[in-house]
Amino acid sequence: MEVPGPLRELPRWYVTHSSHHGALDRFAGRDVTVVGAGQAALETAALLAEGGAAAVRIVARGNWLNWNTLPPAPDRGLWPALRNTGLGCG
């Protein structure tokens, strides 16, 4: 649960991690900024928009967003296949 350094001192009401939420209905009608460039940030932003947030922004430190990467090659060998058995490559 990475919260960027400059945001750690803000009150918990204003800064939370996506893993702290089940339902996002408390954000309906509010302006929300999601900090991150990965799948969790992008999915949270989409769910906020679908759930009625007044405005949703994504702020990322990098030059691109990481929704999904290319799938691994099918002939990558046994060890790499065993190491990468997650839910996906994004």
Side-chain angles (χ1 to χ4, degrees):
M1 294 184 290
E2 179 74 23
V3 175
L7 302 178
R8 289 185 193 139
E9 300 301 318
L10 294 173
R12 188 72 142 175
W13 177 256
Y14 295 111
V15 179
T16 61
H17 191 274
S18 61
S19 65
H20 296 148
H21 302 282
L24 298 172
D25 54 342
R26 82 174 229 204
F27 300 103
R30 296 176 179 242
D31 288 350
V32 182
T33 300
V34 177
V35 178
Q39 187 274 332
L42 299 174
E43 182 175 339
T44 299
L47 291 171
L48 286 163
E50 290 173 359
V56 180
R57 290 167 212 79
I58 299 173
V59 175
R61 290 179 281 188
N63 293 329
W64 56 82
L65 302 176
N66 297 313
W67 179 252
N68 270 328
T69 58
L70 293 175
D75 60 345
R76 63 188 181 269
L78 179 62
W79 181 242
L82 290 174
R83 277 189 328 189
N84 299 310
T85 58
L87 296 176
C89 25

